[in-house]
Amino acid sequence: MNERPNSLHASDIAHSMHPYTNMRAHEEKGPMIMSHGDGARVFDTEGKEYIEALAGLWSVAVGFSETRLADAAHAQMKKLPYYHSFAHKAHEPSIRLAEKLAEMTPEGMNRVFFTNSGSEANDTVIKMVWFLNNGLGRPQKKKFLSRNKAYHGITIASGSLTGLPANHKDFDLPAIPVVHLTCPHHWRWGHEGETEAQFTDRLLGELEETIEREGADTIAAFIGEPVMGAGGVMTPPEGYWQGVEKICRKHDILIVSDEVINGFGRTGARWGCERYGFTPDIIVTSKQLTSSYMPLAAIVVNDKVYDAIADNTAKLGTFGHGYTASGHPVACAVGLENLAIIEEKDLMGNAERLEPLFQDGLRALADHPLVGEVRGVGLIAGVELARDKATKEAFQPAGSMAKVVTEFAAEEGLIVRAVYETVALCPPLIVTEDDVRQIHARLRRALDRALDWAKAEGKM
């Protein structure tokens, strides 16, 4: 039964609790209700068209109308709609998808554990690492190293790894042993007069000092997004990741590459770790794994990590962890078809080919009075706003101007996301040159309108 849009609007306000939302403000404003999608575009219940320049939530690689994924889900629903993977049970879709991920990840990463989301995956990584260190007789080796502005999920454990104030405040987080290091974003966190190379050296020195202070025998793993996504699309300075890897190897600290956003071509390379030249022990992926048509995430570990975990399961008799829907057959079938589409249509190559057009067009916005910095790689970017370009002074209250820009962008038919004072973009991997040019044009119009508003309101 189809309800009228105004009925849906009222029902949403009356009954729904939205994530990442000021709920009192939502009671006044209400939702933007989406009706359907077509390629890189979505349409609301009023019939308005938008270019979805954040791919939903950094995730819809193949666009919003791929019938092959619907067909794959339908076929699997009819054949085996559900089965679990506990206690030696298995089914073909999860077997084939694990095999495919082992094939697609760096050499030596051969074992896969499925969860339903990136948050669950990183929560599971924490438990895996604790489990293997207990099995190796290292019960004190439990701390994680993360970074300020990192995003690694929202469960109690993975949310502790996240380094965003709004995700910690009044949630009593962090709740696990984690140390947050300086965000590797030179423009915002570099000292006055500090070159990018000097900034990298300082951050690597901070890492060494932290390990010395905490004790290498207490630190289990370093977790990081190759390109930081939900914290504001921060690309690392040159040499940063190679330096992190060298230090972690020296101190026997595992490296976890959180590729939930970065994976499957988003950065212009197959994996973010490959773009930045480091080899992790664990890769976490989700989002573009199924283009978010179905909830699914995967943890891919190297043989060293697997062997330590497997040996401890032999001692204890089991790996006492898992989810009812781990490796759900419908989700895995959709994932397999999604990866087939990505490869057949060369969507990872499309991201690499369109990178110059996408990034150069956004960098042309750097001359706009509202823009402090433009950064990104592949088909992911952030446009950070500043009240004063010279001093990098942000608008107050924090995040207010980015929200204004995103609202004007929506009126211009463009969906982007406000992340603090950064306007984030991450379009579907299927975008065309024309789509990219329209993204640039619509965003510039939104910035112009926001500038007029800021002047009228006395913000500039």
Side-chain angles (χ1 to χ4, degrees):
M1 176 180 175
N2 292 324
E3 296 184 77
R4 294 197 305 261
N6 60 344
S7 174
L8 288 173
H9 191 275
S11 180
D12 181 83
I13 291 173
H15 302 296
S16 298
M17 295 176 67
H18 289 256
Y20 284 86
T21 301
N22 178 332
M23 295 182 189
R24 293 303 184 196
H26 187 74
E27 292 170 7
E28 299 296 323
K29 182 178 181 179
M32 175 192 291
I33 306 174
M34 292 305 175
S35 169
H36 61 284
D38 184 15
R41 289 162 170 75
V42 292
F43 299 80
D44 67 20
T45 50
E46 303 297 322
K48 183 175 176 63
E49 174 228 59
Y50 306 84
I51 297 176
E52 227 304 356
L54 200 78
L57 277 176
W58 324 85
S59 56
V60 184
V62 301
F64 291 85
S65 55
E66 182 49 75
T67 57
R68 283 175 59 178
L69 298 191
D71 292 343
H74 184 225
Q76 186 59 45
M77 278 277 191
K78 290 193 297 183
K79 183 178 182 181
L80 182 68
Y82 169 72
Y83 212 74
H84 63 86
S85 54
F86 285 39
H88 309 289
K89 304 298 191 302
H91 47 74
E92 185 173 357
S94 69
I95 294 169
R96 296 299 183 198
L97 185 56
E99 180 182 46
K100 183 64 178 175
L101 288 170
E103 172 193 312
M104 295 182 74
T105 46
E107 185 177 355
M109 306 194 76
N110 295 311
R111 304 288 181 160
V112 180
F113 188 93
F114 291 111
T115 70
N116 308 297
S117 69
S119 293
E120 285 182 1
N122 280 326
D123 198 288
T124 296
V125 165
I126 294 166
K127 293 181 70 177
M128 283 181 167
V129 170
W130 288 351
F131 184 85
L132 74 85
N133 276 324
N134 285 331
L136 291 172
R138 307 187 301 195
Q140 77 284 0
K141 201 170 177 66
K142 298 293 171 60
K143 296 174 188 173
F144 274 73
L145 301 178
S146 183
R147 286 92 55 82
N148 290 320
K149 293 290 186 177
Y151 186 83
H152 296 297
I154 211 63
T155 61
I156 289 174
S158 66
S160 296
L161 300 178
T162 290
L164 299 172
N167 298 122
H168 289 173
K169 189 173 178 59
D170 288 348
F171 288 111
D172 294 342
L173 297 179
I176 68 164
V178 56
V179 178
H180 289 93
L181 304 168
T182 299
C183 172
H185 176 205
H186 177 248
W187 184 81
R188 175 57 69 189
W189 301 103
H191 292 163
E192 186 175 355
E194 187 176 49
T195 67
E196 185 173 297
Q198 291 169 334
F199 177 65
T200 300
D201 289 342
R202 175 162 64 86
L203 265 56
L204 296 177
E206 177 193 41
L207 174 58
E208 282 275 24
E209 290 164 9
T210 300
I211 294 169
E212 182 178 353
R213 182 185 70 243
E214 300 291 330
D217 61 341
T218 73
I219 300 173
F222 181 107
I223 185 169
E225 307 151 271
V227 174
M228 300 174 81
V233 190
M234 275 81 78
T235 53
E238 186 175 354
Y240 171 80
W241 271 111
Q242 291 94 330
V244 167
E245 180 177 19
K246 182 178 180 180
I247 292 168
C248 288
R249 297 299 174 221
K250 172 183 169 184
H251 294 288
D252 193 20
I253 294 169
L254 296 173
I255 299 173
V256 183
S257 187
D258 185 335
E259 305 260 1
V260 168
I261 290 175
N262 286 218
F264 304 111
R266 175 55 61 189
T267 66
R270 185 174 56 176
W271 301 102
C273 61
E274 293 175 334
R275 173 87 191 218
Y276 291 102
F278 70 98
T279 303
D281 300 284
I282 300 172
I283 285 178
V284 178
T285 184
S286 186
K287 294 189 183 291
Q288 293 191 148
L289 176 58
T290 64
S291 285
S292 289
Y293 278 46
M294 289 290 294
L296 185 66
I299 303 157
V300 190
V301 306
N302 65 17
D303 295 336
K304 174 185 173 182
V305 170
Y306 170 77
D307 285 339
I309 293 171
D311 286 347
N312 204 23
T313 67
K315 294 177 189 175
L316 300 178
T318 189
F319 181 60
H321 177 80
Y323 303 94
T324 300
S326 290
H328 193 288
V330 179
C332 288
V334 170
L336 280 165
E337 189 67 12
N338 179 68
L339 296 183
I341 293 168
I342 287 174
E343 290 187 332
E344 289 170 20
K345 296 187 176 181
D346 191 24
L347 297 186
M348 290 187 277
N350 191 50
E352 183 180 10
R353 287 186 295 273
L354 289 180
E355 177 176 359
L357 177 66
F358 182 67
Q359 298 295 338
D360 290 349
L362 291 174
R363 279 165 174 73
L365 298 173
D367 63 358
H368 195 279
L370 290 181
V371 176
E373 185 191 41
V374 181
R375 53 187 178 265
V377 293
L379 288 180
I380 183 170
V383 178
E384 184 156 349
L385 310 180
R387 187 175 183 275
D388 187 306
K389 288 176 179 281
T391 65
K392 305 176 186 177
E393 177 191 355
F395 288 92
Q396 296 298 326
S400 57
M401 185 55 68
K403 289 181 181 177
V404 170
V405 172
T406 61
E407 289 173 1
F408 281 126
E411 291 181 11
E412 294 293 334
L414 179 70
I415 292 179
V416 290
R417 186 179 182 188
V419 181
Y420 297 93
E421 275 301 354
T422 296
V423 177
L425 300 97
C426 182
L429 296 184
I430 61 164
V431 288
T432 65
E433 290 186 7
D434 181 62
D435 292 331
V436 168
R437 291 191 176 94
Q438 289 195 49
I439 289 170
H440 295 154
R442 296 182 191 192
L443 181 57
R444 182 173 282 278
R445 291 198 297 270
L447 287 166
D448 289 342
R449 292 178 63 186
L451 177 62
D452 291 343
W453 177 90
K455 290 177 178 177
E457 295 292 319
K459 304 286 187 182
M460 294 287 285

